[in-house]
Amino acid sequence: MAQVKRIRRNVSGIILLDKPLGFTSNAALQKVRWLLNAEKAGHTGSLDPLATGVLPLCFGEATKFSQYLLDSDKGYETLAQLGKTTTTADAEGEVLRERPVTVGRADIEAVLPNFRGQISQIPPMYSALKRDGQPLYKLARAGEVVEREPRSVTIARLELLAFEGDTARFAVDCSKGTYIRTLVEDIGEQLGCGAYVAQLRRTQAGPFSLAQTVTLEELEAVHAEGGNEAVDRFLMPSDSGLLDWPLLQFSEHSSFYWLNGQPVRAPDAPKFGMVRVQDHNGRFIGIGEVSEDGRIAPRRLIRSE
């Protein structure tokens, strides 16, 4: 008997998942996509299986705006294990070296200013960055080490929350592209004892915080009782990640032309930058950019949601 193709639903919005331990970001996405039976889905930046916390999942029309969440600042809490370094710079790797931990809280506090502000990081070999089409982690697993270009990142906040014995807990607010594993490893080297990430929890992703997230268990329980459509209540609007952008509301006339790719004028538009756009009914219809002549050029459109 031929297998019946599953007809997926056209649903749009963002679900803020508290990613569970041990899941890749894609595995978590596919699980929630199955619970929704959603046609189109994407996540907004990978978290390692070791990491938990805020993972915005985009569905349907919301996937058009996932890049802006990818580019957003992030917040983390991490537990650093002092005295050891590993192949992956976290608890999943093999121990490379052990050194005695002779530092105290004051020693840790003394090196933290070196890592605040704009700093340079060399991405770890165990990362998803690609070299000649191959992810670095695949090369690392094959025993290869290749040269990586340093990258500039910004650490807006780096605070020691707790220190006990050979572990230290930090809060980190940082720009996109920051590797917390590399940050912890570099701090460990400056302390002279080495360190790796024992735990990592993302507390913030752009405008979203842990307080807004839902767990996989909660989603599964709702699905078990009410099916796919019951999970819809966790969907946030597609522009939820852009609420700090200027908002313009077009007339019915302007909305028609704008949705057909034509730049239009808006009397209350800012002088430059990106804007969110609603139609005359208050429905989100996409994002635009203010051009030099003051018109709003459409960049990503939503025709129906």
Side-chain angles (χ1 to χ4, degrees):
M1 180 181 291
Q3 187 174 3
V4 178
K5 185 177 180 180
R6 190 180 192 194
I7 300 175
R8 294 191 180 273
R9 299 191 305 139
N10 182 20
V11 294
S12 293
I14 298 172
I15 286 183
L16 297 180
L17 183 70
D18 183 348
K19 189 190 84 65
L21 184 69
F23 275 69
T24 65
S25 293
N26 188 58
L29 171 68
Q30 296 307 324
K31 179 64 176 177
V32 178
R33 182 188 182 191
W34 182 86
L35 293 172
L36 278 168
N37 192 27
E39 183 177 13
K40 190 175 182 183
H43 62 70
T44 58
S46 295
L47 280 174
D48 294 335
L50 175 77
T52 64
V54 183
L55 181 64
L57 304 177
C58 297
F59 300 92
E61 293 293 303
T63 59
K64 294 179 177 180
F65 313 103
S66 59
Q67 183 61 45
Y68 301 100
L69 284 170
L70 275 168
D71 293 343
S72 64
D73 293 343
K74 308 294 191 301
Y76 297 91
E77 281 193 15
T78 184
L79 182 69
Q81 174 64 58
L82 306 179
K84 297 178 183 178
T85 54
T86 71
T87 52
T88 58
D90 63 22
E92 296 188 329
E94 297 177 7
V95 174
L96 290 173
R97 186 181 179 189
E98 294 190 41
R99 282 173 275 180
V101 179
T102 58
V103 298
R105 175 180 280 270
D107 300 304
I108 299 173
E109 295 279 14
V111 303
L112 295 189
N114 300 333
F115 298 95
R116 296 186 182 119
Q118 191 170 14
I119 66 169
S120 180
Q121 283 192 331
I122 296 177
M125 275 301 299
Y126 280 87
S127 68
L129 293 177
K130 291 186 177 180
R131 171 68 60 88
D132 299 327
Q134 279 280 83
L136 291 184
Y137 65 81
K138 286 192 175 181
L139 298 177
R141 287 171 184 166
E144 294 185 49
V145 177
V146 298
E147 189 174 346
R148 286 96 66 204
E149 288 291 325
R151 55 168 59 182
S152 179
V153 297
T154 300
I155 309 296
R157 177 191 178 210
L158 176 58
E159 182 182 348
L160 178 63
L161 299 178
F163 172 65
E164 184 176 353
D166 58 358
T167 62
R169 187 173 295 277
F170 299 102
V172 184
D173 293 341
C174 56
S175 62
K176 72 165 186 174
T178 302
Y179 286 95
I180 304 300
R181 285 177 292 145
T182 300
L183 176 65
V184 166
E185 193 172 52
D186 289 348
I187 290 172
E189 287 309 307
Q190 284 211 6
L191 291 171
C193 60
Y196 69 79
V197 169
Q199 296 172 8
L200 181 62
R201 186 153 176 77
R202 186 189 280 169
T203 56
Q204 195 87 22
F208 302 128
S209 67
L210 269 175
Q212 298 168 276
T213 60
V214 60
T215 67
L216 195 54
E217 289 79 9
E218 289 174 298
L219 292 173
E220 288 173 328
V222 169
H223 179 270
E225 287 192 9
N228 305 128
E229 293 184 1
V231 184
D232 290 355
R233 68 184 175 93
F234 294 102
L235 285 165
M236 303 172 68
S238 294
D239 62 339
S240 297
L242 311 174
L243 295 184
D244 57 340
W245 289 25
L247 175 65
L248 299 178
Q249 187 165 16
F250 287 169
S251 67
E252 185 174 5
H253 179 81
S254 294
S255 297
F256 173 82
Y257 284 101
W258 197 74
L259 284 171
N260 282 281
Q262 300 297 314
V264 300
R265 294 191 181 279
D268 52 349
K271 294 187 181 298
F272 59 90
M274 302 292 290
V275 295
R276 284 186 300 138
V277 177
Q278 292 179 347
D279 66 10
H280 60 291
N281 292 318
R283 183 177 66 88
F284 175 56
I285 55 174
I287 60 174
E289 186 172 8
V290 183
S291 59
E292 290 183 359
D293 63 4
R295 294 187 297 171
I296 314 303
R299 291 293 177 252
R300 300 304 298 251
L301 300 176
I302 290 181
R303 300 189 183 277
S304 61
E305 192 174 36

